[in-house]
Amino acid sequence: VVAVGFVVVLTGCGARANAPLPASEPALGAARRATSASPIKHIVIIVQENRTPDYLFQGIPHADIATTALDSEGKIVALHQVSLAAGYDLSHRNAAFITDYDGGKMDGFDRNLPPSDDMRPYGYAPRKEVSPYHQMARQYVLADRMFQTNQSGSFPSHQYLVSGASSAEPVSSDDVDSNGLNKKNLKQNAPVGCDAPARSIVDTIDPATGYPGPTPFPCFDRPALSDVLDAAGVTWRYYQHDLGPGLWHAYDAIQHVRYGPDYANVVSPSQTILSDVATGNLAGVSWVMPPSNAYSDHSGDASAKGPSWVAAVVNAIGTSRYWNSTAILIVWDDWGGWYDHVVPPQFNAYELGFRVPLLVVSPYAKKAHVSHVQYEFGSLLKFAETTFGLSSLGATDVRANDLTDAFNFGHPARAFTPIKAPPFNPGPDTRDGAPNPEDP
């Protein structure tokens, strides 16, 4: 059974500074240094929230991007400009996927919306707001056949991004209350993980049938990429807004990491990645979460600051000692309810989900290339396994393509051209995803 849902209450955990990596070739173990010919010694996975290629990448040459959609009445509607800062969210629960997908017709995105709101899913971003993303796509690689592995929202998506498997999809607080918790003591979509209140649960879905499964506590002990990185002596870090449970805090829900020595590699706040790059302390593999909702691209947060955050990380690496040895992979964790026209391949009743964007930024990335190869979240894991000569997790990485089409390692490293973007200035918004209506 693949678990796909949950709601819990936030428990307090303070921020922690990360310990420095070993001074000598900090990212790599001895075996990796001796055997690998790849120029890539650092992989940085930047995770943003809830958008589709049709929403973010209108006008990119050679990309498969739609300008119209088919609605639930069979009418063709034009996609229209909707700001990243629009004040509404869209459902992206498993039930919403089933409705939007509609057996592969891709015509259900407006089905459960009132007439006054039925055009909300059919949006695309103003070019000015997403200019940093377009600069990256036009200089490097945009993958237009990247699919989120799961057919639901953030928590399971982030589990797939570290382990190639999932155990949860957010559910409403009413569902949690029906299992004995006091609803008035819960925040909507409060975070989950091993530090969740003892009676917290997650919904599950059987991938063979699509039917509900058990409702376990949101703390799991599945293998993760961190385990094979550790075994090979490759360092890693997971940067997140704060410590403790959370929708985007993948390793807080993996028991042997949360309660073992590896939890020292979970670093807060997210912008510590910038100082780690500046001080020569970048790990072999880094996952980078948004520093707050305001910088996440998540719908409904009245903010268009996400591109400035991503550009800040890319520019920091691009102007550092690490540029010639790094691959930056920028991915969005789910479709967020926004329209996308490409029918996702179906492996079972829960995989795959809708398209999400993937940008590959590296001195070895093909120039202005649109990759039409099918990818999923397991592709990021497989790329790390291939790059560092790791054993397989034996999960979705086995079936996934490994991003080979995005690179040309036969060419010398390209010089970095800074991405033009508004300055990244973290403000007082310290939310980590909990107050946002993740599943309206």
Side-chain angles (χ1 to χ4, degrees), residues 109-338:
F109 289 78
D110 65 330
R111 180 158 288 136
N112 293 326
L113 295 175
S116 60
D117 298 339
D118 63 1
M119 286 297 293
R120 285 185 169 185
Y122 304 115
Y124 66 87
R127 182 73 58 86
K128 182 177 180 180
E129 290 183 355
V130 293
S131 174
Y133 298 152
H134 281 231
Q135 293 172 59
M136 295 176 207
R138 290 172 183 269
Q139 290 185 54
Y140 302 103
V141 176
L142 169 66
D144 71 356
R145 285 297 184 276
M146 174 67 171
F147 298 90
Q148 67 171 107
T149 300
N150 58 303
Q151 299 170 1
S152 54
S154 287
F155 183 60
S157 292
H158 287 249
Q159 294 296 300
Y160 274 107
L161 284 163
V162 300
S163 67
S166 168
S167 294
E169 174 216 358
V171 297
S172 72
S173 56
D174 289 333
D175 291 326
V176 176
D177 184 54
S178 70
N179 285 271
L181 288 177
N182 184 348
K183 183 171 64 176
K184 67 184 180 182
N185 289 333
L186 291 173
K187 294 180 180 180
Q188 184 178 12
N189 302 305
V192 295
C194 295
D195 291 316
R199 297 168 72 185
S200 301
I201 61 168
V202 298
D203 279 354
T204 69
I205 290 176
D206 185 331
T209 65
Y211 295 142
T215 54
F217 181 73
C219 182
F220 310 98
D221 209 17
R222 72 175 67 84
L225 187 65
S226 56
D227 300 325
V228 292
L229 291 169
D230 288 344
V234 181
T235 58
W236 64 273
R237 284 190 173 140
Y238 189 97
Y239 297 88
Q240 61 190 43
H241 163 66
D242 56 9
L243 300 180
L247 296 181
W248 308 339
H249 299 180
Y251 281 110
D252 286 273
I254 297 180
Q255 188 177 49
H256 68 274
V257 175
R258 174 61 188 92
Y259 296 120
D262 261 357
Y263 197 62
N265 297 320
V266 177
V267 175
S268 171
S270 299
Q271 53 266 39
T272 307
I273 181 72
L274 302 176
S275 57
D276 278 353
V277 169
T279 58
N281 208 30
L282 184 64
V285 176
S286 302
W287 291 266
V288 184
M289 301 306 111
S292 72
N293 274 38
Y295 292 96
S296 73
D297 292 339
H298 200 297
S299 307
D301 280 309
S303 173
K305 296 179 179 179
S308 69
W309 155 245
V310 174
V313 179
V314 171
N315 285 337
I317 295 169
T319 56
S320 76
R321 57 182 280 191
Y322 293 112
W323 172 243
N324 284 353
S325 60
T326 299
I328 305 170
L329 312 177
I330 305 159
V331 69
W332 283 253
D333 73 341
D334 67 64
W335 87 107
W338 294 97

